[in-house]
Amino acid sequence: MHDNSTTSTLTIIDRFRQWVRVQASNVFSPPYLPTALTAFLIITIITQLALILMSQPFSYWQGGPDVKGVALNGDEPPFGPMIMIGGWLIYLFIAILCLSVFNIRWSLIGWLTGAVAHLYGIQYWMETCRLSRWSLRLGAFCQSFDPSSFWFIAAILMGTMLSIYFLPTQPSFANQKIGRLVPRAIIFVPVAWVLMLLSLIIWSARVPTYGWVPIETQNSPGPLQEAKAAYDVKRNRLVLFGGTSGYLGNDRWDFQNDTWEWDGEDWINVSPEKSPEGRTKSGMAYDEERGVVVLFGGVGPSGPLCDTWIWDGKLWERKYPLDCPSARYGHEMYYDTIRKRVVLYGGYNNTNFFNDAWEWDGNNWAKLELEGDSPTASVYSLAYNVNENYAFGLLSGWMGGTWTFKDNTWTHLFPDIEPSNRGWTGLAYDPRRKIFVTFGGISKETVLNDTWLFDGENWSLYTESRFQPSIRSDHVIWYDYIRERVMIFGGHNGSEIFNDTWELILPEK
């Protein structure tokens, strides 16, 4: 006799085996997932892949052993674009195969999981806004991207599709023309979308790689040299003032007193009611604490100047401090984020070269007591490192070279290589890449158009550029927080004055 418990156990096992056989036979049996739902998942997968590829830096498309890119988690993807595209195509093929052969009960679970996962991926890449590297308009769209609205639209779209294909009765259209157009639209819209994404990927990969790239603008300050500018970090505007548009003869120059602003895409002539006297070689800096641009001195028709003005984004206002630096031009100014003061250094007045420093507190100038030996400096370059809070200078003349200014003390650096001794150039700090950039200037009466980068320890000559601005000096150079690139405008080469705008595209780190 068999034990009853053993018989019961065998019966349970047999039933389980039978259930598994039935379920296994139903896994691949109809009904199957509607083709439109499979197409929807394909579109979301392709869209996420397109956003990933369009968000990669230019170096990613060059390939090679040092290829770098940006992955979903912020790390660098280990594979180049061709391997990445191939891997995604294999994944896409497997997804289509599974959704096509599995019973709808199983494929619907996979469809919902995949759709939500890839929609989340699309949301992530839209929020990171890396598309601005090759399209400012798309970058601006990303910055205005609202995740809640995105998911609301996605939920309506998915819900509508599920309702259409799983309702007991299919929708009908009283108007036969509309009834004929709907199926065509269902085919045309996805195909057009994929073709558009493919075109954008190709465009992204074919954008000029690195180096200086000319910017086409609708407006321009006109040919201009020796103008001065300061970047308003709160309004994201570069404020440019003064300069000269040419030599009039008899020791007279065409001094300008126009105020222009650069908004990341174009130049705007703001035309205020009152402006400072036209001048060149002045000093300007943006006072972050008080939200104004500060202008001091320069040289105009009457000679060296010592007036102080502030620009609040709408109006120029002259200040009358109790004490101030002597009249001068060729000096530099920057904003000290630690002391929350605008600092002025150096300059000359046709007779004296200065090595004094002053700070502006919003109402008055106060002379700083400097430590150690301080170099005389005029028509030189100075920029502020906002990451490490110190000023960095590329001086000209017999005191030329690489210097830092911190805690009221100048320190002369002696890197292995550095730019040739030069003046009438400019210097900008790129806070994203943590480098200083200088371009052009005049060295031993030779006008230059070389580009040098300083990483905090070493200078390097940058030569990887398909295009190159012409030789020039007395141009404006700045870091644009919208484009996230160093840019230059204007300048002259001794015989021609320029009105062109350029940006420096560097590899992503």
Side-chain angles (χ1 to χ4, degrees):
M1 295 179 65
H2 293 286
D3 184 23
N4 291 333
S5 61
T6 302
T7 303
S8 177
T9 302
L10 292 175
T11 302
I12 294 173
I13 294 175
D14 288 337
R15 289 177 178 176
F16 175 74
R17 289 170 178 169
Q18 180 66 25
W19 179 83
V20 171
R21 284 195 296 268
V22 172
Q23 295 302 319
S25 63
N26 291 333
V27 166
F28 301 100
S29 62
Y32 302 111
L33 192 73
T35 305
L37 296 184
T38 303
F40 176 82
L41 183 60
I42 294 173
I43 294 298
T44 59
I45 293 174
I46 294 175
T47 301
Q48 182 183 351
L49 174 61
L51 288 173
I52 293 174
L53 293 174
M54 287 188 290
S55 298
Q56 299 306 317
F58 296 112
S59 58
Y60 188 70
W61 296 100
Q62 289 191 332
D66 298 325
V67 62
K68 293 182 178 180
V70 181
L72 182 63
N73 60 358
D75 297 330
E76 296 171 1
F79 306 114
M82 294 302 103
I83 296 179
M84 177 182 283
I85 293 174
W88 275 73
L89 289 177
I90 293 174
Y91 164 71
L92 185 61
F93 173 78
I94 295 174
I96 295 173
L97 181 64
C98 292
L99 294 178
S100 300
V101 300
F102 282 103
N103 180 274
I104 191 170
R105 288 183 298 177
W106 300 98
S107 59
L108 185 60
I109 296 174
W111 181 84
L112 288 171
T113 303
V116 172
H118 289 291
L119 286 171
Y120 174 79
I122 293 172
Q123 173 202 327
Y124 171 85
W125 286 101
M126 293 300 292
E127 283 187 290
T128 55
C129 209
R130 294 189 178 96
L131 301 184
S132 60
R133 74 160 181 83
W134 56 273
S135 174
L136 285 179
R137 289 182 174 85
L138 279 180
F141 174 76
C142 289
Q143 291 177 352
S144 62
F145 178 77
D146 182 11
S148 59
S149 299
F150 171 79
W151 282 109
F152 179 76
I153 296 173
I156 291 179
L157 183 59
M158 293 177 64
T160 302
M161 295 183 66
L162 291 173
S163 299
I164 290 175
Y165 289 99
F166 291 100
L167 283 175
T169 58
Q170 296 296 318
S172 60
F173 300 93
N175 190 316
Q176 295 183 357
K177 291 184 178 180
I178 297 178
R180 290 193 297 267
L181 288 175
V182 170
R184 297 177 184 176
I186 294 175
I187 298 175
F188 174 79
V189 173
V191 171
W193 178 256
V194 172
L195 291 176
M196 183 190 72
L197 292 177
L198 180 61
S199 301
L200 291 175
I201 292 173
I202 296 173
W203 181 25
S204 175
R206 292 176 60 85
V207 169
T209 53
Y210 308 131
W212 289 102
V213 177
I215 303 298
E216 295 184 4
T217 62
Q218 295 183 352
N219 303 295
S220 173
L224 203 62
Q225 68 181 38
E226 300 177 345
K228 207 63 180 179
Y231 197 90
D232 184 332
V233 296
K234 291 184 179 179
R235 296 192 302 125
N236 278 331
R237 296 289 182 96
L238 179 82
V239 181
L240 181 146
F241 178 80
T244 175
S245 59
Y247 183 62
L248 301 177
N250 298 322
D251 201 27
R252 294 183 302 113
W253 291 86
D254 187 12
F255 293 102
Q256 302 293 309
N257 71 336
D258 294 336
T259 303
W260 289 80
E261 291 188 343
W262 168 259
D263 65 0
E265 294 188 18
D266 202 5
W267 291 98
I268 303 169
N269 189 345
V270 293
S271 302
E273 296 180 359
K274 180 176 66 173
S275 297
E277 175 185 349
R279 66 193 68 200
T280 65
K281 298 186 178 73
S282 58
M284 283 179 65
Y286 179 69
D287 188 335
E288 295 184 22
E289 179 70 12
R290 297 153 193 91
V292 296
V293 170
V294 181
L295 179 147
F296 177 84
V299 59
S302 59
L305 302 167
C306 64
D307 50 348
T308 303
W309 294 77
I310 63 170
W311 169 256
D312 63 2
K314 296 180 180 180
L315 299 171
W316 282 105
E317 178 187 356
R318 183 169 182 179
K319 293 290 187 177
Y320 296 91
L322 299 176
D323 194 10
C324 65
S326 58
R328 65 187 68 194
Y329 56 99
H331 51 284
E332 290 289 339
M333 292 165 54
Y334 67 90
Y335 178 74
D336 188 320
T337 57
I338 300 298
R339 292 203 295 252
K340 300 186 184 301
R341 299 284 193 274
V342 169
V343 178
L344 177 152
Y345 189 84
Y348 68 116
N349 63 1
N350 295 336
T351 303
N352 300 314
F353 291 85
F354 299 106
N355 64 344
D356 54 349
W358 296 73
E359 66 176 9
W360 172 256
D361 64 3
N363 294 300
N364 289 294
W365 290 99
K367 190 173 184 179
L368 297 177
E369 295 296 329
L370 303 180
E371 303 289 339
D373 296 330
S374 302
T376 56
S378 62
V379 292
Y380 69 111
S381 302
L382 190 68
Y384 190 76
N385 185 327
V386 296
N387 293 323
E388 300 182 24
N389 303 310
Y390 69 87
F392 177 78
L394 183 61
L395 275 59
S396 60
W398 70 277
M399 292 294 287
T402 305
W403 295 73
T404 61
F405 183 60
K406 186 176 183 180
D407 298 329
N408 296 350
T409 302
W410 282 99
T411 302
H412 193 177
L413 307 181
F414 296 94
D416 293 336
I417 60 171
E418 62 183 345
S420 58
N421 192 312
R422 66 189 64 195
W424 297 275
T425 181
L427 192 67
Y429 179 68
D430 183 333
R432 179 178 175 184
R433 299 165 184 84
K434 299 181 180 180
I435 57 172
F436 293 92
V437 180
T438 188
F439 175 85
I442 300 178
S443 177
K444 298 180 180 179
E445 299 182 356
T446 299
V447 185
L448 307 167
N449 69 336
D450 51 351
T451 303
W452 288 81
L453 313 178
F454 186 77
D455 62 6
E457 296 182 359
N458 301 296
W459 284 101
S460 60
L461 178 64
Y462 185 77
T463 58
E464 302 177 29
S465 183
R466 289 179 56 187
F467 308 102
Q468 188 78 358
S470 56
I471 60 172
R472 68 188 65 201
S473 64
D474 292 311
H475 47 280
V476 174
I477 184 169
W478 74 96
Y479 177 78
D480 190 294
Y481 280 82
I482 296 178
R483 305 180 79 93
E484 296 185 329
R485 292 161 189 165
V486 170
M487 308 188 68
I488 63 172
F489 169 79
H492 71 107
N493 62 6
S495 59
E496 181 182 3
I497 302 176
F498 304 109
N499 68 336
D500 49 353
T501 304
W502 292 74
E503 65 178 347
L504 179 60
I505 302 175
L506 294 174
E508 302 287 345
K509 291 187 175 181

